[in-house]
Structures are given as C-alpha cells and as structure tokens.
Amino acid sequence: MKFETQAIHAGQDPDPLTGAVVPPIYQVSTYKQDGVGGTRGGYEYSRTSNPTRKALEECLATLENGAQAFAFASGMAAEDCLLRTLCRPGDHVLIPADAYGGTFRLFDKVLTRWGLSYEAVRQHDPEAVARAAAHRKPTLIWAETPTNPLLSVIDIRALAEVARDNGALLVTDNTFASPYLQQPLDLGADVVVHSTTKYIGGHSDVVGGAVIVKDATHVADLAFNQNATGGVAGPFDAWLTLRGVKTLAVRMDRHSANAALVAEMLTSHPAVSEVFYPGLPGHPGHEIAKAQMRDFGGMVSFRAAAGEDQAVEVCGRTRLFTLGESLGGVESLIEHPARMTHASTSGSPLEVPADLVRLSVGLEDAGDLLEDLREALA
Ligand SMILES: Cc1ncc(COP(=O)(O)O)c(C=O)c1O
C-alpha cells in the first residue's frame, strides 16, 4: 500500500465491537481481568498499553517502515526515554551543532548530570563526524535533518555508514520532514524520533512524541522503559494525533509548495540577507535533500539584513503569520529563534544568529502569505 493509504488505514481497522470507522478513544486507566492475569488482549493498565495509543503506534511504525513505534506525551519525553534506554552513564554521544534547542538542553542540562557526555559536530560534513567518532567512540550519533532552525541537510546514508564503522547507533529526528517526505530507517538510520506535535499532528492542538525502531533489537527495552518511566501519550492525545496523520501527505504537499514560493520571494527581497530553504538550488544541502526527500518541506528561515532589531520587529508585524513557538500546523507561524525556541543555546556551539527569523509556512493561500511577509518587511 502507498503512503496515503497507510496513513488512513494502518492500525486503524474498524472497531471490532461496533464497526466504528475510526479507533475509539479508550479513555480508561484500567481493564477488567477475567481471573488474576486473565487480561483481554493483554491490556492491564493504560500506562503499559492502551488501544487508542496502540493504533497510533501501529500507524507510525508503518509510515516509517519500522518494526515498532512508541508514542509519548511529548517529543522531549520520547527523546529522554530513548536516550536513557540506549545509553548508560559514562557513555558518549555526538550531537549536531545545529539542532532544536530543547534537544540540546536535554543533553547539556539533564543527561550530563546523569553521566552522559556529548560533543557537538557540524554534521553536514560526514568526515568531521567520522573524525570525532574515531577520536572518542560514541554510543550513538544523534542527527536532525533538516535542522531546526537553520535547515541544514544531513546526508543520512553517509552518517549511517560512519555510525556503522564506529559501532554506534544512528538516531534521526525526522520532525521537520515527516515520514511523508523522508524515511530515515530506509536510508540506514537505526531509530527515528518525532515531535508529533508538529507535522504529524498538524493542527496545533496536541503535544506528543514518538520513537520508531528499525528492528526488534531495542523493542523490549524501550517498552520496559516507556512503562517504567511513564511519559506516555494519553488516549485523547493519541486520537488527535491519529486524526492529524491521516492527512499528512496532502498537507505536506501544500506546505512544501507554499514554502517554496515564500523562499523564492525572500531570496530577492532587499530587507533579507540570507534565506535557508533546502529547495533553493543554491542551498548547500540541495542535492542531498533531492536524493533523500520527496519534497523540501514547509520550514523557511531567513536573516534580516538590518540585524536583530529588524528581525524582532518583523516577527511582531505580520498579521497572518502568528508570532509563536512550534511549527507544522495548518496555520503559518513566525518566531525569533534566538529569543524564543533556541534561547537555551545561547553561548553554546549551537547558538543561532540573532538576526534569524523562522517561518512555519502553513496552508493558507500563498498570495496572502507573500503579501503579509512583504508588508512586514517593508
Ligand atoms: C526538531 C524537534 N525535535 C523535538 C522537539 C521536541 O518536541 P516537543 O515540543 O513535542 O516536546 C521539537 C520541538 O519543537 C523539535 O522542533
């Protein structure tokens, strides 16, 4: 079955009891046992498993071509559980020098205290990653592509080879691309993580996260830790996310088309000094993006030619692009990463330019979006 069909049907057979065509919200904490240990279908307690969450997990595993998915209460809960499953105190990991600020904060402020060390490496240069890996063997390489907020493109196949050569696992944060545009497990990654809050949910109405593994190796450990640490997706959140994912393909097509027009307009705008969008032929990762992505996605960043103050002013001047954190919803958003989503990277190797503006290009009419940006930049 093709992606569009899987998104609507995988894990979502009509309910066996009633025939309901979408999975019901099993808003329940516990399940009657027919005698001690006599569970019906293995359900005993909703932290351990829940039918609505299971439907989402089956769908996400199918869409990423993985063996199994685990749905969490947020992207950060997913990352934390994954890292404390795959790593042990004393282990070393390589992280991107350009990544979501919250991911950096998790490594820098939480997991270092747990005994994990990290090194930030510019991952668009696989040789630099290979040198860092040879210098100090990492347990895993954490990648994000395209990156948040600079839209760097990382060659997943090349990084998977570096990971393999060094006995490390490759984890890829696929939030910006979504499984419709890019399937990292097919390109050699071992694990995919998502903030399903973004394109997978798609409607800015639910926070969630997911881990999808390529094979059975880590399934039992992840299931154990997901239950033991408990940061699971609730039934209603899982249901909202499933409702969103059904339309992922059509939304991503339109996000990509609108973003391409926005990027093109910004490229020739005198108030803009640099545009970051992998679909632009001049983008350093354009050829790799063409090879590993179906299209280039809905995220565009740019630098304000007149500097930080102008960047901040533009963020406050748009009418359609709403000033706010997050991304991937049907409505367009604008933000200033240095003061908002990436404030935690200040003074670190992941610090972002102060004149940077990030756009999440939504599904509104492209002409209206271009006019809004032109007016804000005028
Ligand atoms: C690329 C990326 N990964 C992970 C996360 C964390 O996800 P959540 O906000 O759902 O915890 C985000 C959030 O913005 C993100 O942009």
Side-chain angles (χ1 to χ4, degrees), residues 105-121:
R105 184 175 53 198
L106 176 66
F107 281 109
D108 189 56
K109 297 283 189 296
V110 179
L111 293 172
T112 47
R113 291 187 3 208
W114 186 68
L116 200 68
S117 63
Y118 73 86
E119 183 184 349
V121 187

Side-chain angles (χ1 to χ4, degrees), residues 15-161:
D15 177 46
L17 187 63
T18 64
V21 296
V22 294
I25 306 168
Y26 280 90
Q27 195 68 45
V28 62
S29 60
T30 194
Y31 307 82
K32 174 182 163 34
Q33 301 195 8
D34 300 319
V36 175
T39 60
R40 302 182 189 181
Y43 295 105
E44 55 181 29
Y45 186 59
S46 278
R47 169 161 39 75
T48 319
S49 64
N50 171 281
T52 317
R53 190 173 96 221
K54 186 157 173 270
L56 172 63
E57 291 174 337
E58 282 181 20
C59 184
L60 294 179
T62 304
L63 296 183
E64 286 286 8
N65 284 331
Q68 194 147 330
F70 300 87
F72 290 87
S74 70
M76 294 318 304
E79 293 187 15
D80 181 41
C81 183
L82 175 66
L83 285 163
R84 287 190 293 133
T85 303
L86 299 183
C87 301
R88 296 289 172 269
D91 283 0
H92 184 64
V93 296
L94 297 181
I95 68 165
D98 168 19
Y100 170 56
T103 298
F104 171 69
R105 184 175 53 198
L106 176 66
F107 281 109
D108 189 56
K109 297 283 189 296
V110 179
L111 293 172
T112 47
R113 291 187 3 208
W114 186 68
L116 200 68
S117 63
Y118 73 86
E119 183 184 349
V121 187
R122 302 206 72 77
Q123 295 186 340
H124 58 255
D125 177 5
E127 282 171 19
V129 184
R131 279 195 300 278
H135 175 67
R136 182 166 174 197
K137 290 285 179 201
T139 306
L140 64 86
I141 300 175
W142 187 279
E144 190 182 294
T145 183
T147 60
N148 180 2
L150 287 169
L151 283 310
S152 302
V153 172
I154 311 306
D155 186 338
I156 298 174
R157 284 193 189 88
L159 228 57
E161 211 176 302

Side-chain angles (χ1 to χ4, degrees), residues 146-373:
T147 60
N148 180 2
L150 287 169
L151 283 310
S152 302
V153 172
I154 311 306
D155 186 338
I156 298 174
R157 284 193 189 88
L159 228 57
E161 211 176 302
V162 173
R164 234 186 354 262
D165 291 349
N166 289 279
L169 294 168
L170 176 63
V171 176
T172 303
D173 184 333
N174 202 26
T175 298
F176 265 36
S178 89
Y180 177 63
L181 298 184
Q182 174 175 278
Q183 289 166 313
L185 300 181
D186 289 353
L187 299 168
D190 299 287
V191 184
V192 163
V193 297
H194 277 284
S195 168
T196 56
T197 315
K198 311 299 174 349
Y199 288 107
I200 287 180
H203 295 76
S204 307
D205 54 10
V206 60
V207 172
V211 169
I212 301 108
V213 291
K214 176 153 60 195
D215 56 38
T217 317
H218 304 288
V219 165
D221 286 349
L222 268 165
F224 181 87
N225 277 7
Q226 185 192 38
N227 179 52
T229 57
V232 295
F236 186 50
D237 288 0
W239 184 86
L240 278 172
T241 308
L242 260 181
R243 188 172 66 160
V245 83
K246 286 174 197 286
T247 54
L248 181 63
V250 283
R251 285 188 286 108
M252 290 314 292
D253 283 342
R254 182 68 172 267
H255 279 297
S256 301
N258 280 358
L261 293 171
V262 165
E264 194 187 309
M265 184 279 282
L266 292 173
T267 305
S268 56
H269 199 289
V272 171
S273 58
E274 193 173 0
V275 181
F276 303 88
Y277 185 63
L280 292 171
H283 185 284
H286 180 64
E287 290 306 320
I288 297 165
K290 257 181 21 192
Q292 69 186 19
M293 296 175 74
R294 192 197 293 250
D295 206 334
F296 305 105
M299 299 301 296
V300 180
S301 293
F302 67 91
R303 298 180 80 163
E308 180 174 9
D309 288 349
Q310 186 207 5
V312 170
E313 271 171 37
V314 169
C315 289
R317 258 199 238 132
T318 48
R319 289 172 300 108
L320 278 180
F321 281 85
T322 302
L323 176 58
E325 306 208 352
S326 202
L327 60 113
V330 295
E331 55 289 294
S332 294
L333 296 175
I334 188 167
E335 69 124 1
H336 184 256
R339 295 193 192 180
M340 295 170 67
T341 49
H342 289 69
S344 62
T345 63
S346 172
S348 82
L350 282 80
E351 184 169 292
V352 296
D355 56 6
L356 192 75
V357 174
R358 192 190 74 182
L359 303 173
S360 172
V361 182
L363 307 186
E364 299 92 338
D365 175 77
D368 290 341
L369 293 177
L370 294 179
E371 194 184 320
D372 189 34
L373 286 172

